[in-house]
Amino acid sequence: MPSDFDPLLPEDFDSPHADYRRLREQCPVAHSDAWGGFWALMKHADVAAAAADSATFITSKQNVVPKVAFTGRRPPLHLDPPEHTPYRRALAPLLTERRLQKLEPMIRRICGELLDPLIAKGHGDICAEFSSRMPVLVFANWMNLPPDQVDELADLGRRYNVAVQSADMDETKETSLLLYDMACAIVADRKANPQDPTEDATSALLAVRVDGEPLPEEMIVGCIRQVLVVGIIAPTVMVGSMAVHLSRHPDLQSYLRANRDKVPAATDEFLRLYTPYRGFARTATQDVTIRGRTIPAGEPIALVYASANRDADVFAEPETFRLDRPNIKESLAFGRGTHSCVGAALGRLELSIALDELLARTKGFTVDGPIVPTRFPEIGALKVPLRFV
């Protein structure tokens, strides 16, 4: 089968969006020969429908393109309903907007501690020196890790983050296994020293009972391994992409600096415009025909959220930043259906605070050097050198 696009071609920060616009218009159900072959859904309606139909489009066979999992199954992302439900149900109460508001002082402190030395020297890579570190520290605190494990996760999380985005498979595998060892240690510690399950993710998972039985320990370890990094990579890329956009649009940068109450709404529009994922995958349980193309059962299908969120059929002037879009809730930045991001509220909070603190602590900033883009499965900026004025 001829390839409709090649995700392995060199890219810059903007080129994937131009290619996705072409595919939405000319080949919305696309096929690529890369990584053994996969399909890609480019239109909002198709991505949303597939994400919402967990019976036809399963995640348990392959959950991302390219396939990068080296250790065991990691719920809830690697399981289909209803098997995934107890894991989501255990984590969800710890990730509500109301519960997370008490984390705001901690997140602001972390942002300040990372931003201040960067801004003081007048220049630096906002991704390497700030956004690759901030979400790791926030997650470590949310998971109630002791200081030594916070430091360990900060190092491992940063290494894993950069390895995945740089397509360094050897380093990805090594750091993934080390993160798995860390998850084992966290579960063992919580078994020996239980914490309040209403305040601690690991303890909440250990407390779950299904038909009177606890969840399998290896699956709890897998879930903790997933939790350790699932919220790390996207914020790294998003902060970089927001910085690029604001550097290109100094008027918007000045407006938001003067109207910081608009930062949360701006964050939602940035999430639509620069959705950091393009490779979350499903596998059809039967042959499916979409827009006249038949995808055989068993073949991986990428749900390209980054393309769907720039679909002109849903969003007016989709390539343009528009504050307070009336239909921003149609954004698929955090997915749709049973596998929508359980940590969406935490992601929004982190990004809003990061942007708010960056604006509050600077008079202005501009890109000062080459932007290095990330690759599949993320989309956006991996390295963004900034100069602060």
Side-chain angles (χ1 to χ4, degrees):
M1 178 180 298
S3 194
D4 300 310
F5 72 109
D6 185 358
L8 300 176
L9 289 175
E11 295 178 338
D12 59 33
F13 181 75
D14 300 293
S15 60
H17 294 295
D19 200 31
Y20 293 168
R21 183 169 59 252
R22 173 186 68 85
L23 290 169
R24 282 194 302 275
E25 294 170 356
Q26 301 175 13
C27 187
V29 180
H31 186 271
S32 174
D33 294 331
W35 303 301
F38 71 98
W39 296 83
L41 303 183
M42 312 306 294
K43 295 285 288 181
H44 187 283
D46 301 333
V47 171
D53 184 357
S54 58
T56 305
F57 298 92
I58 61 173
T59 190
S60 53
K61 183 173 180 180
Q62 182 171 341
N63 59 85
V64 70
V65 172
K67 197 170 186 178
V68 296
F70 298 104
T71 50
R73 300 176 82 191
R74 303 198 290 265
L77 185 59
H78 292 198
L79 300 182
D80 299 308
E83 289 83 7
H84 90 315
T85 307
Y87 301 89
R88 280 186 68 100
R89 191 174 290 148
L91 296 173
L94 298 167
L95 290 163
T96 63
E97 288 188 33
R98 183 174 180 180
R99 175 67 66 90
L100 294 173
Q101 286 305 314
K102 67 180 183 179
L103 301 182
E104 181 169 342
M106 176 266 290
I107 299 173
R108 288 195 182 277
R109 173 182 57 78
I110 288 170
C111 287
E113 290 173 353
L114 293 172
L115 283 171
D116 284 346
L118 179 62
I119 294 168
K121 67 179 182 177
H123 62 90
D125 185 340
I126 195 68
C127 296
E129 299 177 63
F130 174 63
S131 64
S132 68
R133 301 173 186 271
M134 178 271 294
V136 186
L137 295 171
V138 170
F139 251 66
N141 280 272
W142 175 76
M143 292 191 67
N144 302 312
L145 301 186
D148 61 323
Q149 285 186 322
V150 171
D151 292 341
E152 181 184 3
L153 180 58
D155 177 59
L156 273 178
R158 181 192 59 78
R159 286 175 55 197
Y160 178 82
N161 192 350
V162 173
V164 170
Q165 294 178 70
S166 304
D168 183 340
M169 300 309 284
D170 290 338
E171 176 75 353
T172 298
K173 185 172 184 178
E174 180 182 343
T175 51
S176 181
L177 291 169
L178 289 170
L179 285 161
Y180 194 83
D181 291 342
M182 188 175 182
C184 288
I186 293 169
V187 172
D189 177 76
R190 292 299 188 273
K191 289 179 72 176
N193 305 287
Q195 295 191 21
D196 183 349
T198 67
E199 299 289 339
D200 180 72
T202 310
S203 300
L205 288 162
L206 287 167
V208 170
R209 294 295 180 271
V210 177
D211 298 328
E213 296 297 321
L215 298 173
E217 184 168 331
E218 68 272 15
M219 298 297 271
I220 294 176
V221 169
C223 186
I224 295 302
R225 160 64 184 81
Q226 186 74 17
V227 167
L228 286 177
V229 297
V230 73
I232 291 174
I233 294 178
T236 303
V237 175
M238 274 305 305
V239 170
S241 296
M242 290 191 295
V244 171
H245 187 96
L246 290 170
S247 293
R248 292 174 170 178
H249 300 275
D251 289 350
L252 176 60
Q253 186 182 146
S254 298
Y255 175 82
L256 291 175
R257 191 173 280 109
N259 299 272
R260 286 166 52 202
D261 60 308
K262 292 291 189 180
V263 165
T267 300
D268 280 338
E269 175 66 347
F270 280 130
L271 280 161
R272 182 200 66 82
L273 191 60
Y274 297 107
T275 308
Y277 285 117
R278 54 177 165 180
F280 275 125
R282 301 292 188 271
T283 304
T285 57
Q286 60 194 37
D287 292 359
V288 292
T289 300
I290 304 172
R291 299 183 189 268
R293 295 197 82 173
T294 298
I295 301 175
E299 296 191 3
I301 306 167
L303 309 186
V304 189
Y305 294 113
S307 174
N309 273 346
R310 292 190 177 207
D311 190 338
D313 288 349
V314 178
F315 301 104
E317 298 182 343
E319 312 280 341
T320 303
F321 179 97
R322 290 178 58 175
L323 197 60
D324 296 318
R325 277 186 183 270
N327 67 336
I328 193 63
K329 289 189 182 299
E330 294 300 319
S331 170
L332 298 174
F334 290 103
R336 183 69 63 88
T338 56
H339 283 287
S340 61
C341 178
V342 70
L346 179 56
R348 281 196 181 93
L349 183 64
E350 283 182 309
L351 292 170
S352 291
I353 292 174
L355 179 55
D356 189 55
E357 290 294 318
L358 178 60
L359 293 168
R361 292 167 187 270
T362 59
K363 295 180 180 179
F365 52 83
T366 56
V367 170
D368 184 39
I371 301 164
V372 178
T374 186
R375 303 302 304 269
F376 254 84
E378 286 77 38
I379 182 171
L382 175 61
K383 296 180 181 179
V384 181
L386 293 183
R387 182 163 296 278
F388 302 99
V389 296

